[in-house]
Amino acid sequence: MTAQLNPRGDVAVLVPAAGAGVRLGPGAPKALRPLAGEPLLVHAVRRVAAAPSVHTIVVAAPATEVEAVHAMLAPVAPVTVVPGGAERQASVAAALAAVPAGPEIVLVHDAARALTPPGLVESVAAAVRDGHDAVIPVLPVVDTVKEVDAAERVLGTVDRSALRAVQTPQGFRRSVLLAAHRSAGDALTDDAGLVEKQGIAVTCVPGSELALKITRPFDLSLAEHLLSTGV
Ligand code: CTP
Ligand code: MG
């Protein structure tokens, strides 16, 4: 049985949450670690569920935690929980396989981007609804970027104005994401990358600084601070 959120919604959101969180340091799987007293995944799912277009949420959890994650999220939103895989791509594929018939827009959203505003979920979904096959939220790159060789010698300066930092949720027409995952070869960290390999156009929409990926201890401290300011 697949749990349903808003029966009139046209969006399924896949939430890969099966990673270990190695860069955060020793401890529980990252999605289950506390942020202001609640697991990161609870913050992430609460914000996704607040987006009115969302029909279904499928979470890919660490394989040993499927029951615990389901119990943890039940008070937050109706969700389907499946066991994730060894790589992010496998976790996304497992979640994609559990999407029921109905939603024709599929978003993929990292649990680690726990403070992502519901409005970003809506704007990515709206761009797919408007006819774009694949949509990614992006921010301008603020630092100067250098290309270096193996000895850390600078080879050149990259034109920053042509670069974008990519966030999630990434949005797709359902058939496009299914085809991309069916033909996936090497593991990528990014679903739009799979779609690009199919030769399909990927469109950018403005991202949000609140959609930062909690990766290192500094990011967790920053997220704690942002929550304390009422975000
Ligand atoms: N993810 C997943 N399955 C995996 C690996 C990652 O579902 N096998 C998820 C993570 O839970 C996270 C998102 O993909 O929500 C982005 O990955 P990342 O930030 O790299 O998280 P981790 O892999 O947990 O962190 P690390 O790479 O530091 O171990
Ligand atoms: Mg990882």
Side-chain angles (χ1 to χ4, degrees), residues 15-24 30-31 60 84-89 91-92 109-113 213-215:
V15 183
V22 172
R23 288 170 288 180
L24 209 48
K30 180 162 74 180
E87 304 291 338
R88 182 183 180 281
Q89 196 170 298
S91 297
V92 173
H109 183 47
D110 295 329
R113 298 183 189 271
K213 184 157 72 74
I214 297 170
T215 305

Side-chain angles (χ1 to χ4, degrees), residues 139-161:
L139 290 178
V141 173
V142 291
D143 291 313
T144 297
V145 178
K146 304 277 186 193
E147 187 182 0
V148 298
D149 66 12
E152 293 283 308
R153 263 188 313 253
V154 172
L155 297 174
T157 305
V158 184
D159 176 12
R160 188 175 68 190
S161 69

Side-chain angles (χ1 to χ4, degrees), residues 22-114:
V22 172
R23 288 170 288 180
L24 209 48
K30 180 162 74 180
L32 308 183
R33 294 204 212 182
L35 165 61
E38 290 182 306
L40 253 76
L41 181 58
V42 167
H43 290 276
V45 167
R46 186 182 292 127
R47 283 164 168 73
V48 168
S53 299
V54 176
H55 173 283
T56 298
I57 299 174
V58 184
V59 174
T64 56
E65 306 293 335
V66 170
E67 290 306 315
V69 164
H70 197 266
M72 172 200 296
L73 293 175
V76 181
V79 294
T80 300
V81 185
V82 299
E87 304 291 338
R88 182 183 180 281
Q89 196 170 298
S91 297
V92 173
L96 183 57
V99 176
E104 288 305 319
I105 298 172
V106 179
L107 269 50
V108 185
H109 183 47
D110 295 329
R113 298 183 189 271

